[in-house]
Amino acid sequence: MEFLSQTWHWSISGFLIGIIMLTLTYFGKTFGMSSNLRSLCAMSGLGRLLPFFDWDWKSQRWNLVVVAGAMLGGFVAVHFLHDDSNVDLNPKTIEQLALLHIDAPQGKLVPDVLFENSSPKTIFILIVGGLLIGFGSRYAGGCTSGHAISGLSNLQIPSLKAVIGFFIGGLVMAHFILPYLF
C-alpha cells in the first residue's frame, strides 16, 4: 500500500494524460478547463443577460466531469499522496525567492506571502491576476491546459502560438514584474 501513500512519479501522470487525450481524440472531444467556466455560467442562466453564455451547455456535460475529477484528484493528492520532501528547489532559486521576501517552500506548494497575508495589496494582486488570466484565456481561445495538453497533442498551430505566448508572459512576469510587486 506504500504506492498509494507517496507522490507518484511524473511518468505515471504523463502516461495517464496521454491515454485520456487518445480517448478524447477517438470520441472527437477536446480538453480544456476554461470552457467549464462558460458551461457553469450557461447553467446558471447567465445566457439571458450575455449572449456569449447563451449556448447548449448540455453538449459539454462530459467536460464538467473533468472539473469534478480535478477537484477529487486534488483532495486525494493533498490528503493521501502528500510528501513534504517532494518540493526540492535549487539553492539559487531559494536565494532569489528570499530576495523577493518569499519564503522557502519547506514542503508547501504555495508561498505564505501570497495567502497568509490578506493585505489589500495581496488581495488586489490576486484579483487583477485572476482577471488577466480570464481575459488571456478568452483572448487565446482557451487556457493553458487546453492549448498545451489538447491543442499541442492534436498538432494545432494556434495552440503552439498560444503556448509560446503563455511561456513568454510567464517569463516576463517572473523576471521583470514580480520583483516589483513584493
Side-chain angles (χ1 to χ4, degrees), residues 129 132-133 136 144 160-179 181:
L132 288 172
I133 288 171
T144 53
L160 178 62
K161 292 176 182 177
V163 169
I164 290 170
F166 296 148
F167 275 96
I168 290 171
L171 289 170
V172 167
M173 178 65 192
H175 292 285
F176 300 114
I177 299 173
L178 186 65
L181 294 178

Side-chain angles (χ1 to χ4, degrees), residues 69-87:
M71 291 172 21
L72 178 63
F75 177 83
V76 169
V78 166
H79 294 286
F80 301 108
L81 300 175
H82 184 68
D83 181 9
D84 288 346
S85 67
N86 69 347
V87 180

